Amino acid sequence: MKNVPLKGVISYPITPFDEAEKVDIPLFKKLTERLISSGSHAIAPLGSTGVLPYLTDEEKEAITEATIQQVNGRIPTLVGVSNLTTEKTVYHAKFAEKAGATAVMIIPMSYWKLTDDEIIKHYDTVASQISIPIMAYNNPATGGVDMSPSLLKKLLQIPNVTMIKESTGDIQRMHYLKKELGEDVAFYNGSNPLALAAFSAGATGWCTAAPNLIPELNIALYDAVQSNDLEKAQKIFYKQFELLKYIVEKGLPRAVKAGLNILGENGGKLRSPLQPLTEKEISDLELILSKVKSSTLSA
Amino acid sequence: MKNVPLKGVISYPITPFDEAEKVDIPLFKKLTERLISSGSHAIAPLGSTGVLPYLTDEEKEAITEATIQQVNGRIPTLVGVSNLTTEKTVYHAKFAEKAGATAVMIIPMSYWKLTDDEIIKHYDTVASQISIPIMAYNNPATGGVDMSPSLLKKLLQIPNVTMIKESTGDIQRMHYLKKELGEDVAFYNGSNPLALAAFSAGATGWCTAAPNLIPELNIALYDAVQSNDLEKAQKIFYKQFELLKYIVEKGLPRAVKAGLNILGENGGKLRSPLQPLTEKEISDLELILSKVKSSTLSA
Amino acid sequence: MKNVPLKGVISYPITPFDEAEKVDIPLFKKLTERLISSGSHAIAPLGSTGVLPYLTDEEKEAITEATIQQVNGRIPTLVGVSNLTTEKTVYHAKFAEKAGATAVMIIPMSYWKLTDDEIIKHYDTVASQISIPIMAYNNPATGGVDMSPSLLKKLLQIPNVTMIKESTGDIQRMHYLKKELGEDVAFYNGSNPLALAAFSAGATGWCTAAPNLIPELNIALYDAVQSNDLEKAQKIFYKQFELLKYIVEKGLPRAVKAGLNILGENGGKLRSPLQPLTEKEISDLELILSKVKSSTLSA
Amino acid sequence: MKNVPLKGVISYPITPFDEAEKVDIPLFKKLTERLISSGSHAIAPLGSTGVLPYLTDEEKEAITEATIQQVNGRIPTLVGVSNLTTEKTVYHAKFAEKAGATAVMIIPMSYWKLTDDEIIKHYDTVASQISIPIMAYNNPATGGVDMSPSLLKKLLQIPNVTMIKESTGDIQRMHYLKKELGEDVAFYNGSNPLALAAFSAGATGWCTAAPNLIPELNIALYDAVQSNDLEKAQKIFYKQFELLKYIVEKGLPRAVKAGLNILGENGGKLRSPLQPLTEKEISDLELILSKVKSSTLSA
């Protein structure tokens, strides 16, 4: 049986910056604690939400250590270690393992489109140097390469590649993975507006930044699916659908930071060129959040 | 309350041809009877599956009358009346109503891309000349125009446009329709591999040619969703997923005809330029159908 | 040597309708005469501009005969005979030949996506029943199928398929055709804003509706290329670029009809669902046409 | 008048690596000298071809200095300084200016899609800190963001943004830029197979890695256009078209390195995850190069 240490709602913290656009570690820890205490089933720092590619090596290491320290074994951790070069990916994967991460997530970032052989060699090289499980992550919109289901199938033959995260937003990919790879494979949904469809299709977990803003609804959706109550799941999903769609459209780091501010939390600053949402966007988000809140109360 | 006379599994018969590539009405009636007797909740002739655009006016009229006659009031009928020109669409819609159709389906066929205003005027003109409900059908892959959710919303303001069929294969369109248009709207899924996701999202019905080949599984999926049993629905869906995907990939008229032959039924001939599946494709389909059969028995 | 009877500026007349949306043959003849007398190198009725798919069989025949009659041998004619079914395509191709057409144009119209084998058989069947040359026409935007360069290469092995018209708007397709098919092939550009690039790439002719509005500039571009004067060709091209882009964006039948009205000519009515340009669009077109006129004078 | 110091064939060197995948500066200088001595009109290190995003800050600085040193004022230099963060882009732009670069090239790299406002602020911040001209570079395929013509127009209002490089492969973008921005704007083609079309459209220069392999043909194309000889330009273009297409398809760093080896030059190693072309791809490239050579001789 494969080593699959993650399930349920896997929460992605943002990486907050201070006034000088330096990483704010104390604030990061505080935001991470919010995710843990609101019931997340796992914590995943240094994802797209955590603006991984915009950070220096030292900053990535500091975030990794801060996460492990803050989580302190209460729930599993999934650390993003993706890098354009294989050498740097190995470096950060080894760092995460040594720091105590439960698993690492790797997206094959590509400036030059990688061939299937290049991608397999990339994962193989990293996998051979660590012992913890790897989640292979497919997201052409940010990573620039689209791994076909058949390539993902090949990656799963590498012993510690045990999990797949799909963010193409195409539910048929998940159907194919489930059908083709059988009961043994664990696939995760990384496309927020697809949460209901993905769980209906049999996804093991949901990788999401939404618990920074609406953790109760995210977890309630998972619980409804677990108790085989489709009607309830559908009802809970439609309460959060508009928000899920909006934060994806506006970009997760910018939207989550704005949402935290609306909720009265300090979301920190962004690192340029990323800029805050506009006034208009913020007021749209306020409206959406207030509708979510009133619908939750009325349920 | 809107007049929504259709739900569940809405079955699309093919239009069979004889050796001279003329429409074979007796065979059409026989194939339609198979769909009725296997439990379909409605019959929809002259859809894409029924190769509507390849038929003459007289052939369309003959198919319409043959359907109403054969169904004989046992279940509702949904007749396709789409045409490139508004005048012809009105003509066929009036013919269908007079012949006794329960409702008509209209896709805004477009050689020249239509503007939103042109589409609204097209539906409005047709709607004003008939009294039965209209299903507005969105399928950019065959019709050549993609109606945005906001355009669909406008179409629903025309009194007898009461149903929407979505075939883009994008589940988020359905989420948007459901969220935006509220409980009052009935939307239907026209993308076979999306059947589970669409029902999970709250679709009222499934417009499908699959009951020509695997009616029990199609209806069992709907029943599982109706009884709020997600686990069962998922299990039943994965039994048919590969077939649903295959018949869509190969084109429904060609694939359904080949499947009927494999099942020992006469599927008739196709009209040129459409040609039968190749030997290789037929043997692939045989394998898929036999896997479906054995999985159904083992359940 | 292949039979290639067409070169230069091949002009596409619109099909005008009267108040009752019936085809107006006398007006069609008048508009065709304008194209001939302004120097067109050939006339091509029943193209996309001529709204071929919106016409009945009888209307197509009337347009064909009116064209041959009006042209009266002064320049070659290229008659569109495309149809969804093979049988009807054969019918219209034979009609055009008998009526005296120089060549016929065929786009593989597809509601159901056709396979390469289906397309080849379609052309082969038509070609075997006529003796005049065929122009194979690739335009995925209107026809719904994209013929790959390698498929086009196969079509050219059918003896009387001697010309290719490319309207994908991808100049690299033309480079590939020229390189791959050698000196022997004649390819034509059907994408108006690509006129300069296509002639630079070696196109034999330009299939265009623009001569309904600006024949002098269209022909001057061809002449500049013929005299190997790139600088002049570029200068002439930029004078008409904005207009070429605009009429394509708005749809050729609608835009040409509006342009004729602006020029003081009767463009007739459109057939529903096609509707006239809006007031705003008409005034944009007026501005563009007046800029073209003043730049032409100043040259 | 704007400061536009570049025109003609602007050559992009690869960044070669040694056996340990470290940057090989002596070999880089040697390859750069080849480009200069074969007649390039400018040298552009640290582009996509030079695998900019795969390098450390120190490596980028070493390449910048090596280029300036080797070129030694003989021709202009255009140094790539793009980075995900604004801070680092400013850093490298200042470094390049101080080192003596003629101009810098900046593509708005984006992991998270940038808004137009974010992109403008990004360029504005960098531009305000240097005095040399900036070439704004649009290449959605590698950079992940597609700058619209209207955004490019806005960027040109920043005083030292004086040049635009377009690599979308859409010739109509260039037509629009030329038409909209007038005689004052200098635009450059970055899509190799579009070289003839772009020069025909009025491009000021061609940014290309091809001179690493076939400098004579690249420069001859420019010369033919300069002497207003379209026929000759077309003939020269078709001699190199197949090679231009191939090296783009396979990825420039991999293809150029393989081509250098075929020509008997040392192309160095690649940095993982990038891997050498396969045996089959190398032999395809050999064939293409030998065809180019024989056609050049026969001309």
Side-chain angles (χ1 to χ4, degrees):
Chain A
M1 185 58 188
K2 293 219 162 190
N3 182 3
V4 175
L6 301 167
K7 66 172 182 181
V9 175
I10 300 162
S11 296
Y12 283 63
I14 60 169
T15 296
F17 297 88
D18 64 19
E19 291 298 319
E21 297 198 5
K22 298 297 167 199
V23 174
D24 185 338
I25 292 289
L27 181 52
F28 173 79
K29 285 187 168 180
K30 188 164 167 254
L31 293 171
T32 299
E33 184 59 35
R34 279 182 80 245
L35 292 171
I36 302 168
S37 62
S38 60
S40 300
H41 302 110
I43 293 289
L46 299 173
S48 298
T49 302
V51 293
L52 172 73
Y54 300 75
L55 304 178
T56 66
D57 291 351
E58 296 70 30
E59 290 168 336
K60 291 173 194 174
E61 294 172 17
I63 292 278
T64 302
E65 286 175 333
T67 305
I68 312 287
Q69 212 171 43
Q70 190 67 32
V71 170
N72 196 21
R74 287 178 286 176
I75 50 177
T77 53
L78 171 69
V79 176
V81 299
S82 312
N83 200 286
L84 265 176
T85 69
T86 304
E87 188 191 6
K88 286 268 184 178
T89 310
V90 168
Y91 174 83
H92 289 293
K94 288 170 78 169
F95 186 92
E97 178 172 33
K98 201 171 160 193
T102 311
V104 292
M105 181 173 73
I106 299 176
I107 183 172
M109 298 173 81
S110 81
Y111 187 84
W112 286 103
K113 300 284 168 272
L114 299 176
T115 64
D116 282 8
D117 284 347
E118 287 173 334
I119 290 173
I120 291 169
K121 191 166 179 186
H122 181 66
Y123 276 99
D124 210 30
T125 303
V126 181
S128 70
Q129 307 226 14
I130 58 172
S131 306
I132 54 177
I134 293 172
M135 180 185 284
Y137 175 25
N138 191 35
N139 189 353
T142 52
V145 66
D146 189 2
M147 295 193 283
S148 68
S150 65
L151 172 57
L152 292 172
K153 194 176 173 180
K154 279 183 200 159
L155 290 181
L156 286 166
Q157 291 165 7
I158 301 172
N160 45 344
V161 176
T162 63
M163 301 172 280
I164 290 177
K165 175 179 168 191
E166 254 291 344
S167 292
T168 47
D170 177 2
I171 190 67
Q172 296 192 34
R173 296 284 186 103
M174 293 186 196
H175 290 326
Y176 178 87
L177 289 175
K178 175 86 173 176
K179 182 73 187 176
E180 188 70 17
L181 305 179
E183 294 306 315
D184 218 36
V185 72
F187 68 89
Y188 300 79
N189 169 42
S191 173
N192 284 303
L194 227 65
L196 174 62
F199 277 134
S200 297
T204 300
W206 176 16
C207 296
T208 175
N212 286 288
L213 305 180
I214 50 165
E216 302 83 2
L217 282 173
N218 306 141
I219 291 163
L221 174 60
Y222 179 67
D223 290 343
V225 171
Q226 286 303 101
S227 58
N228 197 33
D229 190 341
L230 178 56
E231 272 178 36
K232 191 174 176 187
Q234 192 187 110
K235 203 172 162 189
I236 292 169
F237 173 71
Y238 278 113
K239 286 183 184 175
Q240 58 193 298
F241 172 66
E242 204 175 349
L243 180 76
L244 297 177
K245 203 158 158 283
Y246 193 81
I247 62 177
V248 168
E249 272 172 22
K250 295 302 167 187
L252 293 169
R254 300 171 71 221
V256 167
K257 184 204 136 30
L260 285 168
N261 292 357
I262 291 169
L263 296 176
E265 297 287 334
N266 179 9
K269 288 204 56 170
L270 296 158
R271 176 168 282 179
S272 298
L274 298 183
Q275 301 297 328
L277 295 191
T278 63
E279 298 276 322
K280 172 68 172 60
E281 290 170 328
I282 290 170
S283 86
D284 288 346
L285 182 54
E286 269 172 342
L287 184 63
I288 292 170
L289 273 168
S290 73
K291 280 197 286 183
V292 169
K293 197 172 181 181
S294 63
S295 80
T296 311
L297 290 174
S298 72
Chain B
M1 183 58 186
K2 292 220 163 190
N3 182 4
V4 176
L6 301 167
K7 67 172 183 180
V9 175
I10 300 161
S11 296
Y12 283 63
I14 60 168
T15 296
F17 297 88
D18 64 19
E19 291 298 319
E21 296 197 6
K22 299 295 167 201
V23 173
D24 185 338
I25 292 289
L27 181 53
F28 173 78
K29 285 188 167 180
K30 190 165 167 252
L31 293 171
T32 298
E33 184 59 35
R34 278 183 79 244
L35 292 171
I36 303 167
S37 61
S38 60
S40 299
H41 302 110
I43 293 289
L46 299 173
S48 298
T49 302
V51 293
L52 173 72
Y54 300 74
L55 303 178
T56 65
D57 290 352
E58 296 71 30
E59 289 169 336
K60 291 174 193 173
E61 294 172 18
I63 292 277
T64 301
E65 287 175 333
T67 306
I68 311 289
Q69 211 172 44
Q70 188 67 31
V71 169
N72 196 20
R74 287 178 286 176
I75 51 177
T77 53
L78 171 70
V79 176
V81 299
S82 313
N83 199 286
L84 266 175
T85 70
T86 304
E87 187 191 7
K88 286 265 183 178
T89 310
V90 168
Y91 174 83
H92 290 293
K94 289 170 79 170
F95 186 93
E97 178 173 31
K98 199 171 163 193
T102 310
V104 292
M105 181 174 73
I106 299 176
I107 181 172
M109 297 172 81
S110 80
Y111 186 84
W112 285 103
K113 300 282 168 275
L114 300 176
T115 63
D116 281 9
D117 285 346
E118 287 173 334
I119 291 173
I120 290 168
K121 189 165 181 188
H122 181 67
Y123 276 99
D124 210 28
T125 303
V126 181
S128 70
Q129 308 227 13
I130 57 172
S131 307
I132 54 176
I134 293 172
M135 180 186 283
Y137 175 24
N138 191 35
N139 189 353
T142 53
V145 66
D146 189 1
M147 295 192 283
S148 68
S150 66
L151 172 57
L152 291 172
K153 194 174 174 180
K154 279 183 200 160
L155 289 182
L156 286 166
Q157 291 165 8
I158 301 172
N160 46 343
V161 176
T162 63
M163 302 173 279
I164 290 178
K165 175 180 170 190
E166 253 292 342
S167 291
T168 48
D170 177 3
I171 190 67
Q172 296 193 34
R173 296 282 187 106
M174 293 186 194
H175 289 327
Y176 177 86
L177 289 174
K178 175 87 174 175
K179 183 73 187 176
E180 189 68 17
L181 305 179
E183 294 306 314
D184 218 37
V185 71
F187 67 90
Y188 300 78
N189 170 41
S191 173
N192 284 302
L194 228 64
L196 174 62
F199 278 134
S200 297
T204 300
W206 176 16
C207 296
T208 175
N212 287 288
L213 305 179
I214 51 166
E216 302 83 0
L217 283 173
N218 306 142
I219 291 163
L221 175 61
Y222 178 67
D223 289 343
V225 172
Q226 287 302 101
S227 59
N228 199 32
D229 190 342
L230 178 56
E231 272 178 37
K232 191 174 176 187
Q234 192 188 109
K235 202 172 161 189
I236 292 169
F237 173 71
Y238 278 112
K239 285 182 184 177
Q240 59 193 294
F241 172 66
E242 202 174 351
L243 181 76
L244 298 176
K245 203 159 160 279
Y246 193 81
I247 62 177
V248 168
E249 273 171 21
K250 295 302 166 186
L252 293 169
R254 300 170 71 220
V256 167
K257 184 203 137 29
L260 285 168
N261 292 356
I262 291 169
L263 296 176
E265 297 287 335
N266 179 10
K269 288 204 55 169
L270 296 158
R271 176 168 281 179
S272 297
L274 298 183
Q275 300 297 327
L277 295 192
T278 63
E279 298 276 321
K280 172 67 173 61
E281 290 170 329
I282 290 170
S283 85
D284 288 347
L285 181 54
E286 269 173 341
L287 184 63
I288 292 170
L289 273 167
S290 73
K291 280 197 286 183
V292 169
K293 197 172 180 182
S294 64
S295 79
T296 310
L297 291 174
S298 73
Chain C
M1 186 56 188
K2 292 219 164 189
N3 182 4
V4 174
L6 302 167
K7 67 172 182 181
V9 175
I10 300 161
S11 296
Y12 283 63
I14 59 167
T15 297
F17 298 89
D18 64 19
E19 290 299 319
E21 296 196 8
K22 299 296 167 200
V23 173
D24 185 339
I25 292 289
L27 181 53
F28 173 79
K29 284 187 169 182
K30 188 165 166 255
L31 293 171
T32 299
E33 185 58 36
R34 279 183 80 245
L35 293 171
I36 302 167
S37 62
S38 60
S40 300
H41 302 110
I43 292 289
L46 298 173
S48 298
T49 302
V51 294
L52 173 73
Y54 299 75
L55 303 179
T56 65
D57 290 351
E58 295 71 28
E59 290 168 336
K60 291 173 195 173
E61 294 172 18
I63 292 278
T64 302
E65 287 174 333
T67 305
I68 311 288
Q69 213 171 43
Q70 189 67 33
V71 169
N72 197 21
R74 287 178 285 175
I75 51 176
T77 53
L78 171 70
V79 177
V81 298
S82 313
N83 199 284
L84 265 176
T85 70
T86 304
E87 188 191 5
K88 287 265 184 178
T89 310
V90 168
Y91 174 83
H92 290 293
K94 288 170 79 169
F95 186 92
E97 178 173 31
K98 202 171 161 192
T102 311
V104 293
M105 181 174 72
I106 298 176
I107 181 172
M109 298 173 80
S110 82
Y111 187 84
W112 286 103
K113 300 281 168 276
L114 300 176
T115 64
D116 282 9
D117 284 346
E118 287 173 334
I119 290 172
I120 291 169
K121 190 166 180 186
H122 181 67
Y123 277 98
D124 210 29
T125 303
V126 181
S128 70
Q129 308 226 14
I130 57 172
S131 306
I132 54 177
I134 294 173
M135 181 186 283
Y137 174 24
N138 191 35
N139 190 352
T142 51
V145 67
D146 189 0
M147 295 192 284
S148 68
S150 65
L151 171 57
L152 291 172
K153 194 176 173 180
K154 279 183 200 161
L155 290 182
L156 286 166
Q157 291 165 7
I158 301 172
N160 46 343
V161 176
T162 62
M163 302 172 279
I164 290 178
K165 176 180 168 190
E166 254 291 343
S167 291
T168 49
D170 177 3
I171 189 67
Q172 297 193 34
R173 296 283 187 105
M174 294 186 194
H175 290 326
Y176 177 87
L177 290 174
K178 175 88 172 174
K179 183 71 186 176
E180 189 69 17
L181 306 179
E183 294 306 314
D184 218 36
V185 72
F187 67 90
Y188 300 78
N189 169 42
S191 172
N192 284 303
L194 227 65
L196 174 63
F199 278 134
S200 298
T204 299
W206 177 17
C207 296
T208 175
N212 287 288
L213 305 179
I214 49 165
E216 302 83 2
L217 283 173
N218 306 141
I219 291 163
L221 175 60
Y222 178 67
D223 289 343
V225 172
Q226 287 301 103
S227 58
N228 198 32
D229 190 341
L230 177 56
E231 271 178 37
K232 190 173 178 188
Q234 193 188 107
K235 202 172 164 190
I236 292 169
F237 173 70
Y238 278 112
K239 286 183 184 174
Q240 59 193 297
F241 172 66
E242 203 174 350
L243 180 76
L244 298 177
K245 203 158 157 282
Y246 193 81
I247 62 177
V248 168
E249 272 173 21
K250 296 302 168 187
L252 294 169
R254 300 171 70 221
V256 167
K257 184 203 139 27
L260 286 168
N261 292 357
I262 291 168
L263 296 176
E265 297 286 334
N266 179 10
K269 288 205 55 168
L270 297 159
R271 176 168 281 180
S272 297
L274 298 183
Q275 301 297 327
L277 294 192
T278 62
E279 299 275 321
K280 172 69 172 60
E281 289 170 328
I282 290 170
S283 85
D284 288 347
L285 181 55
E286 270 172 342
L287 185 63
I288 292 170
L289 273 167
S290 72
K291 280 197 285 182
V292 170
K293 197 172 180 181
S294 64
S295 80
T296 309
L297 292 174
S298 72
Chain D
M1 183 60 186
K2 292 221 163 188
N3 182 3
V4 174
L6 301 167
K7 66 172 182 180
V9 175
I10 300 162
S11 296
Y12 283 63
I14 60 167
T15 297
F17 298 89
D18 64 19
E19 290 297 319
E21 296 196 6
K22 300 295 168 200
V23 173
D24 185 339
I25 292 289
L27 181 52
F28 172 79
K29 285 187 166 181
K30 191 167 165 249
L31 293 170
T32 299
E33 185 58 35
R34 279 183 80 243
L35 292 171
I36 302 167
S37 61
S38 60
S40 301
H41 302 109
I43 292 290
L46 298 173
S48 298
T49 302
V51 293
L52 173 73
Y54 301 75
L55 303 178
T56 65
D57 291 352
E58 296 71 28
E59 290 169 336
K60 291 173 193 174
E61 294 172 17
I63 291 278
T64 301
E65 288 175 332
T67 305
I68 312 288
Q69 212 172 43
Q70 189 67 32
V71 169
N72 196 23
R74 287 178 285 176
I75 50 177
T77 53
L78 171 70
V79 176
V81 299
S82 313
N83 200 286
L84 266 174
T85 70
T86 304
E87 189 192 5
K88 287 267 183 178
T89 310
V90 168
Y91 174 83
H92 289 294
K94 290 171 78 169
F95 186 92
E97 178 172 33
K98 201 173 163 191
T102 311
V104 292
M105 181 174 73
I106 299 177
I107 181 171
M109 297 172 81
S110 81
Y111 187 83
W112 286 104
K113 299 280 168 279
L114 299 176
T115 64
D116 281 9
D117 284 347
E118 286 174 334
I119 290 172
I120 290 168
K121 190 166 181 187
H122 181 66
Y123 276 98
D124 210 28
T125 303
V126 180
S128 70
Q129 308 227 13
I130 58 173
S131 307
I132 53 177
I134 293 172
M135 180 186 283
Y137 175 24
N138 190 35
N139 189 352
T142 52
V145 66
D146 189 1
M147 295 192 284
S148 68
S150 65
L151 172 57
L152 291 171
K153 194 176 173 179
K154 280 183 199 160
L155 289 181
L156 286 167
Q157 291 165 9
I158 302 171
N160 46 343
V161 177
T162 62
M163 302 172 279
I164 290 178
K165 175 179 169 191
E166 255 291 342
S167 291
T168 48
D170 177 3
I171 190 67
Q172 297 193 34
R173 297 283 187 104
M174 293 184 195
H175 290 327
Y176 178 87
L177 290 174
K178 175 86 174 175
K179 182 73 186 174
E180 189 70 17
L181 306 178
E183 295 305 314
D184 218 36
V185 72
F187 68 89
Y188 300 78
N189 169 42
S191 173
N192 284 302
L194 227 65
L196 174 62
F199 278 133
S200 298
T204 300
W206 177 15
C207 297
T208 174
N212 286 287
L213 305 179
I214 49 166
E216 301 83 3
L217 283 172
N218 307 140
I219 290 162
L221 175 61
Y222 179 68
D223 289 344
V225 172
Q226 287 302 102
S227 59
N228 197 33
D229 190 341
L230 177 55
E231 272 179 37
K232 191 174 177 187
Q234 192 188 110
K235 203 171 161 190
I236 292 169
F237 173 71
Y238 279 113
K239 285 182 186 178
Q240 58 193 298
F241 172 65
E242 203 175 349
L243 181 76
L244 298 177
K245 203 158 159 280
Y246 194 82
I247 62 178
V248 168
E249 272 172 22
K250 295 303 166 186
L252 294 169
R254 300 170 70 221
V256 167
K257 184 204 138 24
L260 285 168
N261 292 357
I262 291 169
L263 296 175
E265 296 288 335
N266 179 10
K269 287 204 57 169
L270 297 157
R271 177 168 281 178
S272 298
L274 298 183
Q275 302 297 327
L277 295 191
T278 63
E279 299 275 321
K280 172 67 172 59
E281 290 170 328
I282 290 170
S283 86
D284 288 348
L285 181 54
E286 269 172 342
L287 184 62
I288 292 170
L289 273 167
S290 72
K291 280 197 286 183
V292 169
K293 198 172 180 182
S294 64
S295 80
T296 310
L297 291 174
S298 73

